[in-house]
């Protein structure tokens, strides 16, 4: 999750503990520049044969929170509410 001005940008994706990941096991890379931030999710390394494909699905969410998101507990609560609302179709 990336938080700025009480807005949450959340990516949810699977992590496969027994698989090999690039860059010494990283599952996420974050790049920053003066004008932007990039949050890049990494899938496990997969060897593909000719004509084969691989899908790695991630879910993206963006929400604005009415509460101040300065504490870890507040972010966790806001994310849990977002996911509960999503599950209930709100």
């Amino acid at each position: 999750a990336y938080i700025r001005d009480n807005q949450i940008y959340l990516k949810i994706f699977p992590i496969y503990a027994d698989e090999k990941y690039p860059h010494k096991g990283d599952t996420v890379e974050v790049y920053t520049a003066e004008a932007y931030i990039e949050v890049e999710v990494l899938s496990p390394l997969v060897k593909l044969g000719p004509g084969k494909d691989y899908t790695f699905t991630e879910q993206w969410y963006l929400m604005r929170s009415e509460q101040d998101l300065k504490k870890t507990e507040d972010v966790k609560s806001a994310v849990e509410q977002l996911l509960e609302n999503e599950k209930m179709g709100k």
Side-chain angles (χ1 to χ4, degrees), residues 4-28:
R4 181 175 176 181
D5 299 328
N6 290 343
Q7 295 182 82
I8 300 172
Y9 173 52
L10 176 68
K11 288 186 175 187
I12 298 177
F13 56 95
I15 296 175
Y16 303 102
D18 296 333
E19 300 294 327
K20 185 176 179 180
Y21 284 83
H23 311 290
K24 299 180 183 176
D26 293 341
T27 58
V28 175

Side-chain angles (χ1 to χ4, degrees), residues 45-88:
L45 297 170
V46 177
K47 188 171 186 174
L48 297 176
K52 300 295 181 183
D53 60 20
Y54 173 75
T55 300
F56 184 77
T57 303
E58 56 186 77
Q59 298 169 305
W60 295 7
Y61 298 92
L62 181 62
M63 69 171 278
R64 181 179 302 278
S65 177
E66 298 301 321
Q67 61 190 28
D68 190 17
L69 299 175
K70 300 265 188 255
K71 298 179 184 173
T72 302
E73 300 83 26
D74 296 335
V75 173
K76 182 179 177 187
S77 173
V79 167
E80 287 171 349
Q81 185 63 51
L82 166 72
L83 296 176
E84 185 63 29
N85 289 346
E86 178 73 18
K87 189 169 30 170
M88 298 180 79

